[in-house]
Amino acid sequence: MKHLKLKALLIVMAGLFISSQTFATDGYFSVGYGTINKGLAGAGIAFYQGSLINGNPAGNVFLGTKYQLGVNLFNPNRKYTVTGNPSGMEGTFGLMPGTVESDSKLFLMPSAGANWMLSDNSSISAALFGNGGMNTDYPTATFYDPMAETTGVNLAQMYGNITYSHKLGENHSIGVTGVLAYQYFEAKGLTAFGAFSSDATAISGNGTDSGFGYGFKIGYLGHLTDNFSVGVTYQSKVFMSEFDDYAGLFAEQGDFDIPSSWTAGIAWEVASDFTVMADVKQIMYGNVNSIGNPMLPNLMTSPLGTDEGAGFGWENIMVYKLGFNYAGVDTWEFRAGLSIGDNPIPSSEVMFNILAPGVIENQIALGFSKEVGNSGNQFHLAFNYAMNSSVEGVNPMDPPSGQTIEIEMNQFELELGFSF
């Protein structure tokens, strides 16, 4: 009966995801996954308690049989500011000066996971969660599209992970995850770039297109002493099917793979019930052409949609995370975290990234868990604030004007979770 209830909940979660839109803050990935991990600002690759929802797959075998549900309410605030008038010279593309804020500021994102013990030394788990994405909805024709009153994109991604975790002795474990992904995308207000495209009919205003993909994740967790653990994971590039309706926009004929990443970290119980975590993570955005190809000179040398067509110019980034967990107050646990990362968007790439201003660098988190009765079930809460960050650069399509473009973003998140 419990398994049937979980299946029903997963179907509801999937439906809620399909109806929502996303933005995230490690570039376009979430700062963390699941309410426990969110309360640590994503730290804890060596802290198995937060491993179930896209954590270290090697940690799940230490969880026992467990079910976890969560729902995240988040408020991304994105805007751009153009300073200076267009030159009006032939062959240039100046923008109207002023500040424009993106609409669509409140979103809901569910997550769910379950871990089943196969034996004392192995487990299998399933998790469903939103991975991230990017969304903008500017109430103006930013790029002078006569066919649209608004400008923006909507990319959302969903993972369905199946994980096998196995102990190697009492203190070490490994895990492997089969990653299945679904994503959808829509663009509005971009027909002006049709002149630069290999297929001007597949660049904007074609509704929502979707695709599926696959990859893998592996992890190791080692309890080197009673109070000190190390963890490491690697996630492959997730190979996605192309967005055919936007084959004239994204490089490689509509390809939009999810980039690979790796994470390494430690967890140290420095005092009774007080654990400090430190992680380092790298995300390889630059290894996906549609994300990493620069706008210029590619826009002038290779049509949009070709292998070397212009992209968002995102660079590979490093992210550093610090988390604290205190479990010394009766049935309570308290958490805090800090995430400091590189900005993937250089100043030369501000124009296209009006559509995707993933410029967040610093984030703070607070959270707690409370046992419900004496059942072992827990209620979780996490609050995250992605501090305001911006990037400014010269409009590369109108250099005579000296016009500048500043893209800016901050984000608030509140997540509620329950494990049993």
Side-chain angles (χ1 to χ4, degrees):
M1 178 64 69
K2 184 180 282 188
H3 290 178
L4 290 175
K5 290 180 179 179
L6 177 66
K7 290 178 182 178
L9 284 169
L10 289 174
I11 292 171
V12 172
M13 293 293 174
L16 285 171
F17 172 85
I18 296 300
S19 65
S20 65
Q21 302 167 318
T22 66
F23 209 101
T25 44
D26 277 0
Y28 75 70
F29 288 91
S30 176
V31 66
Y33 297 91
T35 319
I36 295 173
N37 192 238
K38 280 281 181 70
L40 298 166
I45 207 69
F47 187 69
Y48 73 86
Q49 289 91 329
S51 62
L52 183 55
I53 309 293
N54 199 35
N56 187 342
N60 292 358
V61 71
F62 293 101
L63 290 173
T65 297
K66 184 176 287 292
Y67 303 90
Q68 186 172 323
L69 302 172
V71 60
N72 180 234
L73 176 68
F74 57 106
N75 163 227
N77 301 291
R78 301 134 295 162
K79 65 181 179 181
Y80 71 88
T81 300
V82 177
T83 303
N85 293 315
S87 69
M89 295 178 61
E90 185 177 355
T92 63
F93 195 78
L95 303 180
M96 291 298 296
T99 296
V100 183
E101 295 187 12
S102 177
D103 291 335
S104 306
K105 294 185 177 184
L106 286 174
F107 303 103
L108 197 67
M109 178 62 64
S111 62
N115 187 67
W116 300 278
M117 299 302 297
L118 301 176
S119 69
D120 291 341
N121 295 316
S122 62
S123 73
I124 190 167
S125 62
L128 182 70
F129 56 93
N131 174 60
M134 48 191 174
N135 166 276
T136 45
D137 182 21
Y138 298 109
T140 184
T142 302
F143 301 120
Y144 311 113
D145 187 339
M147 308 297 292
E149 296 181 354
T150 61
T151 304
V153 297
N154 182 29
L155 172 72
Q157 297 174 333
M158 180 180 181
Y159 273 13
N161 286 0
I162 303 295
T163 297
Y164 175 75
S165 183
H166 184 78
K167 286 185 180 179
L168 303 173
E170 289 298 317
N171 299 319
H172 303 269
S173 63
I174 57 173
V176 59
T177 299
V179 176
L180 298 176
Y182 167 80
Q183 64 180 4
Y184 63 81
F185 177 80
E186 181 179 8
K188 298 178 293 183
L190 307 182
T191 58
F193 291 103
F196 301 95
S197 176
S198 60
D199 184 356
T201 67
I203 194 170
S204 182
N206 291 335
T208 299
D209 197 1
S210 60
F212 292 88
Y214 60 89
F216 69 89
K217 185 177 185 178
I218 55 176
Y220 162 76
L221 178 62
H223 296 89
L224 303 187
T225 69
D226 289 342
N227 64 350
F228 188 82
S229 302
V230 298
V232 61
T233 64
Y234 170 76
Q235 181 164 303
S236 73
K237 180 186 288 187
V238 181
F239 297 92
M240 305 298 297
S241 56
E242 287 81 6
F243 290 126
D244 293 332
D245 291 341
Y246 294 94
L249 175 62
F250 290 131
E252 298 182 294
Q253 299 77 53
D255 187 62
F256 204 93
D257 293 335
I258 299 172
S260 60
S261 63
W262 63 263
T263 306
I266 61 170
W268 180 23
E269 189 176 358
V270 298
S272 178
D273 295 318
F274 181 61
T275 304
V276 176
M277 290 147 268
D279 289 6
V280 58
K281 179 178 184 179
Q282 185 177 36
I283 306 172
M284 272 66 81
Y285 288 116
N287 296 353
V288 177
N289 285 0
S290 52
I291 303 172
N293 283 356
M295 180 178 180
L296 294 177
N298 297 46
L299 195 65
M300 303 303 178
T301 60
S302 300
L304 288 167
T306 62
D307 289 357
E308 297 303 319
F312 291 94
W314 283 29
E315 300 172 340
N316 297 345
I317 64 169
M318 301 293 294
V319 186
Y320 305 92
K321 298 177 183 289
L322 192 64
F324 306 91
N325 191 87
Y326 181 63
V329 183
D330 195 19
T331 58
W332 294 81
E333 292 187 46
F334 297 93
R335 303 183 183 91
L338 173 67
S339 178
I340 300 174
D342 297 332
N343 173 11
I345 302 173
S347 60
S348 59
E349 304 297 329
V350 289
M351 188 169 192
F352 263 1
N353 282 288
I354 286 173
L355 301 171
V359 295
I360 293 297
E361 296 176 320
N362 304 321
Q363 303 176 62
I364 56 175
L366 295 171
F368 69 82
S369 295
K370 174 68 171 71
E371 185 176 353
V372 180
N374 296 315
S375 61
N377 301 338
Q378 287 186 309
F379 169 79
H380 313 285
L381 182 142
F383 171 78
N384 297 78
Y385 172 52
M387 302 178 194
N388 196 76
S389 186
S390 64
V391 174
E392 184 176 1
V394 174
N395 181 350
M397 301 293 287
D398 193 6
S401 69
Q403 187 175 73
T404 62
I405 301 169
E406 182 182 27
I407 54 177
E408 188 173 349
M409 180 185 171
N410 64 59
Q411 180 169 291
F412 296 89
E413 294 184 73
L414 181 67
E415 181 160 327
L416 307 177
F418 188 71
S419 59
F420 56 98

